[in-house]
């Protein structure tokens, strides 16, 4: 099933007639090579992983709010080994925090945003029959699936899952004697991530080739919806940066198993004096963050792209400043490669190097600000329709602002000294990733559910889900800023230690930790509404119309019932950009891309 | 039974919601409305909720600021920290202004421009002048932030002045040890291979090298004996022993080289060093140059009240500096907390007891500090560990010296032996 550029121009052929292959359950649902099915497979897996990671966070939030108190819930889920008498074990606390972060960043946000929406939307919005390689696409999902399984298995091994934080810095992550999770748990983590990276690379290459080669007639790069621009740049980021994480993982595997000293030097752990010399733990950090920083933009750009589409459609207005938006995506993509050191200001690396990263990091605030202003101006004088997707997209903009501005504080190295590794950082990245990106993902699910499943989700439940989520999540992460400013370090099992030296801080931290945990439980329970709505609607939702949101983009011209090759007969031809909403001279408030220009009409 | 009951409630609840949704859908069919046609009532409700949410968001933020904005670290306790706080406040003013302005516009527009019957959206695809304005203005503001920030950063990270007192802080799972540089204000050199129960910091003197070599040789001998003996050992045990043997032999070879190359003039730098556990005592108004080392994994020296932080990395020495400006007694009055203590906390995930890896810090007035320092000044490394061989003959009481124990030095070695044992217990606990 190798599609080449020739095919897309082959307007005369009803392409799908060439392969009358019989489909059975396995080839349709399990080993599918159809991008629409693969996208849904990514979504299901990512949502499942996200639920697990959310549960893990509830477990350790219970420990943080009520340290030392017995919790039957913890004992039920974690058993006597990891929660004896219902009190979370200190090592397992670190394990839960580590796996929570790993799953959320990689499996939920990267897999669930890139994997799902790049797959579903790229061919459909470009007017292509499928991805450039259906086979590689299928592989990319199965690699993702296998790596997910490995990561989950690591939770159940006897010595515990990886426990060195999702950033797994050596020497802690290299030495089982330093923390038990650095034994088998860490090995599984590394192999899971290696497979994940392989799958991600295959997927990204596919997306890039499809965007460059398989656009339909009339679909120039500057007529592509912003979603595609976002997915395209994201894929490029992934191709360039994930291999560096793989190299870090391989070097770490060698330090752990082959006696090398890439990251180890002059170490005595427990009672054992290691003979490694000359390695640098800071090298790992450079390699890790060289991926780590682009990774957060790999997470965020798709969410921003989805929101551009959703906000424009539901404002009945063009997205403001399309060219500036494209330029911003490119600028963010480029700059994201030269800011990684801002995660390392106080590692002991040369301060001059730190200065360089301050400069580049504050630069990246500019295109981000431009995007925010463009979203807001899109709303201005629009005619807003509040679908659940629109609510989530607006929520994304709000949290992007809130999280983004605290990033400015953190980017300033002089200030970072005092708040690095405190809850201030935790608040910052959760608001941009745990809120902004997640809200973007929800927006995408609600908006493209009709395209994915041919049915509609329930709108009222969607409203309830949104309001619970945004109130709950802000309630979780806003107070964390204050806890962090008070000096509370991250990854601490118990803040009662403050009793020994600072009582006012102790009270504030314990109080706020309870507030945070309550909001966390509230928000977590609210997700049940989404889950119910999602699965119920897949089977019993009302049938979707052809173009429920009256949108201009190509995916809504494909039939509601999925067919291989996406369109029966010829591929659509594109005559205009996707943002002709409420254009003067047209009675309808939207003009799909396939509508030819009128005489004398100017295209954008 | 309780768990079963909860499960039952959840399942029944899900079924109940399913039935409610079915009822709702039938009513929709009757009304001939659909999920994608958002009716006026729902639309306007959400518009109002947007406005309401903005008030909740702003109100919540203001409440938290007032209730908790100034709780916690309190005023800066170091001279350098004063500038940090000033910069932080300036940055906060800027970002809080941006936060309120942009969130306001976002939610207000969301409220104001809700769809109204008969009113069409305005086709306004771009405005390059606007784009220019809101690219250049943020760029200018950021330029100011960058310049001020880097100015501070350069000051904070530059080496301490000539009058600075040097102190080393040694981190390991899970405590901190301070090493004062003594009269010469020069820290003695170190090498991790010299770490023994009595020489926890791996300090380098002619004697410590000799003792480390002795200990290594004894250890290697013991393993050799075990492997050569008649007792039948499991294959895995043999493999482990041979592994340990090869590593220790390699370390021993390094130690021989160390011995060869060592210049005994360096000993005096180390011998006047004073090792202190428990509390780091500092003198108010004195600039300190701190050096940091780590024994095992990356830790981080976090001094929240002094606004200082730096990772400690095995295999290298990191550094920072600050000048305490408020004594502990004064800060207790300011914070109205007679039990308050300054603290050094570990701030990089390092294992099980990461959350309680800390060291009290006490800042004393000049007078009090001098009293404390005089009382400690006799407890030099030379005294506690033992002098180098050349001087030993002059000091018969110290002949035994070093590893064999004899005159067990008071503070450091006993604690070292204890803490090493504790780590074993911690690491073996899971089994």
């Amino acid at each position: 099933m190798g599609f080449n550029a020739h095919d897309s121009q082959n307007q005369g052929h009803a392409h799908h007639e060439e392969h009358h292959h019989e489909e059975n359950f396995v080839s349709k649902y399990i080993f599918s090579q159809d991008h629409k099915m693969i996208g849904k497979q990514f979504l299901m897996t990512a949502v499942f992983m996200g639920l697990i990671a959310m549960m893990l966070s509830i477990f350790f939030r219970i420990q943080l709010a009520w340290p030392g108190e017995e919790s039957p819930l913890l004992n039920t889920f974690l058993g006597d080994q990891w929660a004896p008498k219902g009190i979370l074990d200190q090592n397992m606390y670190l394990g839960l925090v580590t796996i929570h972060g790993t799953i959320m960043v990689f499996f939920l946000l990267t897999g669930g945003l890139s994997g799902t929406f790049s797959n579903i939307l790229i061919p459909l919005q470009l007017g292509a029959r499928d991805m450039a390689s259906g086979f590689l696409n299928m592989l990319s999902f199965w690699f993702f699936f296998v790596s997910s399984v490995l990561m989950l298995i690591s939770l159940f091994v006897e010595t515990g899952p990886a426990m060195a934080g999702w950033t797994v810095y050596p020497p802690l992550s290299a030495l089982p004697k330093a923390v038990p999770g650095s034994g088998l748990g860490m090995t599984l983590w590394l192999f899971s991530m290696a497979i994940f990276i392989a799958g991600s690379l295959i997927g990204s290459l596919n997306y890039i080739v499809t965007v460059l080669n398989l656009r339909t007639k009339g679909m120039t790069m500057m007529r592509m919806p912003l979603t595609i621009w976002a997915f395209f740049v994201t894929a490029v980021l992934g191709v360039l940066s994930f291999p560096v994480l793989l190299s870090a993982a391989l070097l770490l595997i060698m330090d752990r198993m082959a006696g090398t000293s890439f990251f180890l030097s002059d170490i005595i752990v427990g009672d054992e004096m290691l003979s490694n010399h000359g390695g640098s733990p800071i090298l790992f950090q450079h390699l890790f963050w060289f991926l780590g920083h682009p990774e957060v933009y790999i997470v965020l750009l798709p969410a921003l792209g989805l929101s551009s589409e959703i906000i424009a459609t539901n404002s009945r207005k063009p997205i403001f400043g399309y060219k500036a938006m494209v330029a911003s995506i490119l600028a963010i993509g480029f700059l994201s490669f030269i800011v990684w050191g801002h995660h390392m200001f106080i590692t002991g690396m040369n301060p001059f190097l730190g200065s360089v990263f301050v400069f580049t990091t504050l630069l990246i605030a500019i295109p981000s600000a431009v995007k925010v202003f463009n979203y807001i101006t899109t709303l201005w004088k629009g005619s807003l329709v509040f679908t659940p997707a629109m609510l989530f997209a607006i929520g994304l903009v709000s949290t992007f602002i809130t999280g983004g501005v605290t990033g400015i504080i953190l980017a300033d190295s002089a200030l970072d000294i005092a708040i690095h590794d405190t809850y201030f950082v935790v608040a910052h990245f959760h608001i941009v990733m745990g809120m902004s990106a997640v809200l973007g993902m929800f927006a995408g699910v609600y908006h493209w559910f009709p395209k994915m499943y041919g049915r509609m989700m329930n709108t009222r439940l969607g409203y309830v889900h949104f309001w619970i989520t945004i109130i709950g999540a802000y309630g979780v992460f806003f107070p964390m800023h204050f806890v962090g400013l008070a000096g509370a370090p991250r990854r601490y099992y118990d803040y009662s230690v403050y009793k020994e030296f600072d009582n006012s801080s102790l009270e504030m931290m314990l109080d706020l930790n309870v507030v945070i945990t309550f909001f966390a439980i509230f928000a977590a329970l609210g997700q049940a509404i989404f889950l119910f709505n999602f699965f119920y609607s897949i089977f019993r939702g009302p049938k979707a119309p052809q173009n429920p949101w009256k949108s201009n983009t190509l995916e809504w011209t494909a039939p509601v019932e999925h067919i291989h090759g996406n369109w029966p007969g010829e591929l659509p031809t594109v005559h205009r950009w996707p943002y002709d909403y409420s254009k003067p001279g047209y009675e309808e408030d939207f003009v799909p891309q396939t509508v030819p220009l009128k005489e004398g009409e100017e295209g954008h | 039974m309780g768990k079963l009951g909860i499960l039952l409630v959840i399942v029944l609840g899900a079924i109940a919601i399913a039935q409610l949704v079915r009822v709702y859908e039938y009513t929709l069919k009757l009304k001939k409305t659909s999920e994608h046609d958002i009716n006026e009532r729902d639309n306007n409700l959400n518009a109002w909720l947007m406005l309401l949410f903005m008030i909740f968001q702003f109100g919540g933020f203001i409440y938290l600021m007032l209730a908790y904005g100034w709780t916690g670290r309190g005023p800066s306790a170091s001279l350098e920290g004063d500038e940090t706080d000033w910069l932080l406040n300036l940055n906060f003013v800027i970002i809080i202004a941006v936060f309120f302005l942009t969130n306001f516009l976002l939610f207000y527009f969301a409220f104001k421009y809700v769809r109204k019957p008969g009113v069409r959206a305005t086709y306004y695809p771009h405005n390059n002048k606007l784009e220019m304005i809101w690219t250049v203005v943020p760029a200018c503001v950021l330029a100011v932030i960058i310049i001020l920030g880097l100015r501070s950063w350069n000051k904070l990270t530059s080496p301490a002045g000539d009058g600075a007192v040097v102190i080393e802080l040694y981190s390991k799972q899970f405590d901190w040890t301070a090493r004062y540089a003594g009269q010469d204000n020069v820290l003695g050199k170190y090498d991790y291979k010299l770490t023994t129960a009595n020489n926890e910091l791996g300090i380098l003197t002619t004697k410590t090298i000799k003792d480390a070599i002795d200990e290594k040789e004894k250890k290697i001998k013991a393993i050799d004996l075990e492997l050569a003996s008649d007792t039948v050992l499991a294959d895995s045990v043999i493999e482990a022993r041979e592994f340990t043997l090869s590593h220790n032999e390699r370390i021993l070879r390094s130690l021989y080289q160390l011995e060869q190359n060592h210049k005994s003039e360096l000993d005096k730098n180390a011998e006047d060093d004073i090792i202190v556990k428990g509390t780091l005592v500092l003198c108010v108004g004195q600039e300190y140059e701190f050096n940091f080392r780590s024994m095992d994994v990356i830790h981080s020296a976090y001094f929240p009240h002094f606004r200082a932080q730096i990772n400690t990395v095995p295999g290298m020495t990191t550094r920072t500096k600050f000048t305490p400006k408020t004594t502990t007694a004064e800060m207790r009055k300011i914070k109205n907390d007679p039990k308050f203590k300054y603290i050094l906390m570990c701030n990089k995930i390092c294992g099980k007891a990461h959350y309680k890896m800390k060291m009290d810090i006490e800042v004393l007035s000049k007078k009090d500090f001098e009293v404390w320092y005089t009382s400690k000044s006799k407890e030099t490394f030379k005294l506690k560990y033992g002098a180098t061989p050349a001087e030993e003959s002059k000091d018969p009481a110290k002949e035994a010296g070093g590893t064999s124990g004899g005159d067990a030095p008071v503070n450091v070695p006993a604690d070292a032996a204890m803490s090493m044992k504790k780590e074993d217990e911690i690491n073996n606990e899971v089994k």
Side-chain angles (χ1 to χ4, degrees):
Chain A
M1 226 160 122
F3 292 102
N4 50 39
H6 171 72
D7 285 335
S8 67
Q9 267 111 52
N10 219 340
Q11 303 292 343
H13 274 270
H15 188 89
H16 67 295
E17 282 172 348
E18 284 181 18
H19 37 113
H20 279 302
H21 62 120
E22 299 276 312
E23 279 204 305
N24 52 42
F25 183 85
V26 172
S27 73
K28 185 169 181 194
Y29 289 107
I30 301 183
F31 291 115
S32 170
Q33 295 188 24
D34 186 313
H35 73 98
K36 303 184 287 296
M37 182 56 69
I38 293 172
K40 288 187 283 186
Q41 288 176 316
F42 268 105
L43 181 63
M44 288 294 179
T45 310
V47 166
F48 179 71
M49 293 295 274
L51 282 172
I52 303 274
M54 188 176 71
M55 257 177 50
L56 299 184
S57 75
I58 298 295
F59 295 158
F60 61 73
R61 284 267 22 128
I62 290 177
Q63 156 61 27
L64 286 171
W66 301 289
E69 285 181 34
E70 298 179 10
S71 161
L73 183 81
L74 286 182
N75 189 265
T76 308
F77 279 98
L78 298 171
D80 287 331
Q81 183 189 0
W82 297 117
K85 287 218 200 81
I87 300 176
L88 185 58
D89 174 83
Q90 291 146 321
N91 278 322
M92 192 42 153
Y93 172 83
L94 296 178
L96 294 179
V97 161
T98 301
I99 302 297
H100 165 84
T102 305
I103 292 182
M104 287 300 198
V105 173
F106 293 114
F107 294 88
L108 174 71
L109 290 173
T110 309
L113 273 165
S114 284
T116 305
F117 294 103
S118 296
N119 264 305
I120 295 193
L121 293 178
I122 291 180
L124 281 171
Q125 287 193 334
L126 292 180
R129 296 276 175 211
D130 203 304
M131 286 289 187
S133 167
F135 179 67
L136 286 184
N137 207 15
M138 178 186 75
L139 274 188
S140 85
F141 169 71
W142 282 104
F143 278 31
F144 177 65
F145 184 80
V146 167
S147 76
S148 302
V149 168
L150 274 179
M151 191 56 77
L152 289 179
I153 288 178
S154 81
L155 278 169
F156 295 99
V157 301
E158 195 185 341
T159 45
M163 289 170 185
W166 82 283
T167 47
V168 292
Y169 289 170
L172 186 64
S173 60
L175 306 170
K177 274 199 180 163
V179 78
S182 289
L184 182 59
M186 185 62 196
T187 303
L188 286 171
W189 190 100
L190 286 165
F191 282 106
S192 165
M193 287 310 298
I195 296 173
F196 175 89
I197 292 169
S200 164
L201 283 177
I202 297 174
S204 299
L205 288 171
N206 225 349
Y207 307 152
I208 294 171
V209 173
T210 308
V211 169
L212 291 177
N213 283 351
L214 294 187
R215 284 166 285 126
T216 189
K217 187 150 175 259
M219 178 66 81
T220 61
M221 294 290 281
M222 293 306 271
R223 281 184 183 163
M224 296 196 307
L226 282 170
T227 37
I228 306 297
W229 274 106
F231 298 147
F232 176 63
V233 172
T234 300
V236 172
L237 291 185
V239 166
L240 294 176
S241 58
F242 267 116
V244 180
L245 177 65
L246 185 62
S247 73
L250 286 176
L251 295 182
L252 185 55
I253 288 176
M254 284 195 262
D255 270 11
R256 288 162 55 80
M257 295 176 153
T260 52
S261 304
F262 293 108
F263 308 127
L264 305 173
S265 182
D266 294 10
I267 292 174
I268 301 171
V269 59
D271 54 354
E272 189 184 342
M273 186 182 288
L274 304 179
S275 61
N276 307 73
H277 185 75
S280 169
I282 298 185
L283 173 62
F284 179 86
Q285 295 180 49
H286 279 294
L287 294 173
F288 181 88
W289 287 112
F290 189 83
L291 162 84
H293 196 83
E295 167 64 17
V296 308
Y297 289 103
I298 289 172
V299 160
L300 196 60
L301 282 176
L304 291 173
L306 296 173
S307 295
S308 296
E309 200 51 43
I310 294 167
I311 288 179
T313 304
N314 288 310
S315 303
R316 314 312 289 162
K317 262 187 81 186
I319 191 80
F320 183 80
Y322 175 79
K323 288 210 177 92
M325 288 297 238
V326 172
S328 299
I329 292 177
L330 293 171
I332 290 175
F334 167 70
L335 286 170
S336 72
F337 278 104
I338 51 176
V339 299
W340 82 88
H342 66 232
H343 300 271
M344 295 171 58
F345 286 137
I346 51 133
T347 51
M349 73 175 179
N350 188 323
F352 177 70
L353 196 49
S355 313
V356 174
F357 286 117
V358 171
F359 177 68
T360 53
T361 307
L362 287 168
L363 272 187
I364 212 173
I366 299 173
S368 312
V370 166
K371 288 190 90 72
V372 167
F373 298 138
N374 282 351
Y375 287 130
I376 293 177
T377 312
T378 308
L379 295 178
W380 178 76
K381 292 222 169 136
S383 174
L384 307 188
V385 181
F386 288 114
T387 63
M390 179 62 156
L391 293 175
F392 276 103
I394 294 177
L396 171 142
V397 180
S398 170
T399 49
F400 187 49
I401 295 170
T402 311
V405 292
T406 52
I408 296 203
I409 306 270
L410 290 164
D412 203 339
S413 51
L415 301 177
D416 187 57
I417 296 175
I419 47 179
H420 177 80
D421 255 353
T422 64
Y423 263 81
F424 192 85
V425 182
V426 177
H428 163 75
F429 66 70
H430 275 98
I431 291 184
V432 275
M433 290 205 293
M435 289 189 78
S436 226
V438 167
L439 295 179
M441 193 172 156
F442 281 134
V445 171
Y446 280 98
H447 191 83
W448 276 286
F449 188 90
K451 185 44 58 184
M452 287 193 274
Y453 294 102
R455 292 176 183 267
M456 302 298 292
M457 285 179 80
N458 183 297
T459 307
R460 288 270 167 78
L461 288 179
Y463 290 152
V464 176
H465 173 225
F466 169 72
W467 288 110
I468 290 182
T469 301
I470 197 164
I471 293 173
Y474 256 128
V476 172
F477 302 117
F478 235 119
M480 283 189 187
H481 293 103
F482 298 94
V483 176
L485 283 173
R490 284 171 78 173
R491 297 160 167 168
Y492 261 35
Y493 170 76
D494 187 349
Y495 290 89
S496 317
V497 292
Y498 272 79
K499 200 181 337 190
E500 294 162 45
F501 56 89
D502 193 338
N503 263 298
S504 60
S505 288
L506 170 77
E507 273 171 36
M508 173 236 234
M509 287 177 195
L510 290 183
D511 285 344
L512 284 182
N513 267 322
V514 173
V515 168
I516 291 170
T517 300
F518 269 124
F519 273 107
I521 295 176
F522 170 69
L525 290 176
Q527 304 317 302
I529 297 179
F530 168 74
L531 286 171
F532 172 78
N533 194 1
F534 183 69
F535 286 106
Y536 184 90
S537 304
I538 290 178
F539 299 104
R540 309 209 43 140
K543 282 239 188 296
Q546 179 69 40
N547 190 354
W549 315 121
K550 298 200 171 46
S551 175
N552 288 339
T553 40
L554 287 184
E555 73 270 28
W556 305 107
T557 67
V560 174
E561 287 293 326
H562 287 175
I563 54 170
H564 272 325
N566 294 336
W567 284 271
E570 289 178 23
L571 288 168
T573 303
V574 162
H575 298 278
R576 59 179 72 230
W577 74 326
Y579 297 109
D580 276 338
Y581 292 103
S582 307
K583 189 166 188 186
Y586 283 94
E587 197 189 314
E588 283 266 29
D589 69 349
F590 73 107
V591 189
Q593 287 190 272
T594 47
V595 173
L597 292 170
K598 285 188 187 161
E599 255 199 59
E601 180 187 357
E602 262 188 42
H604 184 261
Chain B
M1 248 350 252
K3 292 176 195 162
L4 196 60
I6 295 174
L7 194 62
L8 209 62
V9 168
I10 294 176
V11 170
L12 289 175
I15 295 178
I17 297 182
Q19 298 308 325
L20 283 171
V21 175
R22 282 184 77 178
V23 169
Y24 172 69
E25 274 163 8
Y26 284 131
T27 55
L28 273 188
K29 278 214 190 85
L30 289 172
K31 285 197 237 163
K32 290 202 179 66
T33 49
S34 49
E35 293 301 337
H36 55 278
D37 281 326
I38 311 294
N39 63 51
E40 290 309 305
R41 209 191 67 167
D42 283 347
N43 218 23
N44 289 324
L45 172 67
N46 278 294
W48 277 102
L49 285 174
M50 283 285 165
L51 201 64
L52 220 68
F53 177 77
M54 179 183 81
I55 297 172
F56 160 76
Q57 188 195 38
F58 287 173
F61 173 73
I62 294 172
Y63 167 72
L64 284 170
M65 252 329 268
L66 294 175
Y68 298 109
W70 286 269
T71 320
R73 297 180 303 180
S76 140
S78 70
L79 292 178
E80 297 80 1
D82 285 343
E83 189 172 328
T84 305
D85 279 4
W86 178 87
L87 192 64
L88 188 68
N89 287 333
L90 174 70
N91 275 274
F92 266 127
V93 165
I94 296 175
I95 68 167
I96 290 176
V98 171
F99 167 79
F100 274 107
L101 176 66
T102 45
N103 269 300
F104 171 74
L105 288 175
L106 178 74
F107 287 115
Y108 180 64
F109 286 175
F111 164 74
K112 180 168 181 199
Y113 295 108
V114 68
R115 176 186 64 199
K116 295 181 189 63
V119 180
R120 198 162 149 121
T122 306
Y123 186 79
Y124 189 54
H126 67 263
N127 180 333
N128 290 335
K129 186 155 156 239
L130 258 184
E131 300 282 3
M132 193 62 62
I133 294 176
W134 64 48
T135 305
V136 170
V137 171
C140 290
V141 174
L142 286 165
V144 170
I145 293 179
I146 291 176
I147 293 172
L148 292 176
L150 288 182
R151 224 185 47 175
S152 286
W153 173 249
N154 281 331
K155 273 200 230 157
L156 290 166
T157 54
S158 60
D162 290 328
V165 166
V166 183
I167 298 182
E168 177 188 78
L169 283 158
Y170 184 80
S171 61
K172 71 181 208 299
Q173 286 179 326
F174 293 97
D175 65 33
W176 298 89
T177 309
R179 177 159 67 118
Y180 292 76
Q183 290 294 85
D184 62 354
N185 204 30
V186 175
L187 285 168
K189 299 226 179 298
Y190 62 86
D191 191 301
Y192 90 111
K193 297 187 284 289
L194 303 172
T195 308
T196 62
N198 288 335
N199 183 12
E200 201 186 77
L201 268 48
I203 296 181
L204 178 73
T205 66
T206 315
K207 187 168 197 306
T208 60
I209 298 177
K210 186 167 160 307
D211 291 340
I213 289 177
D214 280 345
E215 190 175 292
K216 229 11 138 219
E217 284 172 345
K218 282 200 195 88
K219 185 167 186 184
I220 289 174
K221 223 176 176 173
I223 300 177
D224 275 334
L225 265 165
E226 192 185 351
L227 286 172
S229 76
D230 291 329
T231 18
V232 176
L233 296 166
D235 276 339
S236 61
V237 175
I238 297 180
E239 198 177 318
R241 293 286 181 274
E242 282 177 350
F243 194 72
T244 313
L245 191 62
S246 73
H247 280 272
N248 279 290
E249 281 171 344
R250 197 188 308 173
I251 294 176
L252 185 60
R253 285 196 292 277
S254 287
L255 283 171
Y256 287 144
Q257 278 192 321
L258 200 60
E259 190 178 41
Q260 290 274 44
N261 296 328
H262 180 63
K263 294 192 183 65
S264 56
E265 304 91 74
L266 293 172
D267 287 358
K268 60 182 180 329
N269 292 333
E271 282 170 348
D272 70 344
D273 290 351
I274 300 165
I275 295 173
V276 170
K277 285 183 101 77
T279 304
L280 173 67
V281 180
L282 301 175
C283 179
V284 75
Q286 168 66 56
E287 187 182 21
Y288 285 100
E289 166 81 10
F290 290 103
N291 286 3
F292 299 91
R293 282 194 288 144
S294 174
M295 184 170 100
D296 38 30
V297 298
I298 300 179
H299 299 272
S300 181
Y302 183 42
F303 305 85
H305 308 99
F306 302 101
R307 314 296 192 255
Q309 183 175 183
I310 186 80
N311 284 177
T312 72
V313 184
M316 58 188 277
T317 300
T318 56
R319 59 154 298 275
T320 191
K321 65 172 197 232
F322 63 80
T323 311
K325 67 167 194 162
T326 313
T327 63
T328 303
E330 285 164 357
M331 190 53 94
R332 281 179 176 163
K333 282 202 201 82
I334 295 174
K335 284 179 126 294
N336 199 10
D337 180 355
K339 289 210 241 116
F340 169 81
K341 288 187 234 177
Y342 290 123
I343 196 80
L344 161 62
M345 307 171 88
C346 178
N347 199 9
K348 186 61 83 181
I349 185 171
C350 63
K352 183 168 181 166
H354 167 59
Y355 70 103
K356 45 186 181 179
M357 178 173 159
K358 53 190 174 42
M359 185 177 198
D360 291 341
I361 300 178
E362 189 166 12
V363 177
L364 298 175
S365 65
K366 237 186 158 123
K367 222 175 20 158
D368 292 340
F369 181 80
E370 252 144 53
V371 170
W372 175 84
Y373 193 71
T374 318
S375 76
K376 278 284 177 191
S377 58
K378 292 199 199 67
E379 299 172 22
T380 59
F381 185 72
K382 177 171 170 176
L383 193 87
K384 300 231 156 214
Y385 187 84
T388 45
E391 292 169 301
E392 231 168 71
S393 49
K394 297 184 194 163
D395 201 348
K398 286 285 167 236
E399 233 170 68
T403 28
S404 51
D407 226 31
V410 178
N411 240 348
V412 177
D415 283 1
M418 281 279 281
S419 57
M420 282 191 157
K421 190 170 162 222
K422 272 196 196 114
E423 282 152 30
D424 257 315
E425 283 174 15
I426 290 170
N427 284 323
N428 287 333
E429 236 172 79
V430 176
K431 295 183 197 143

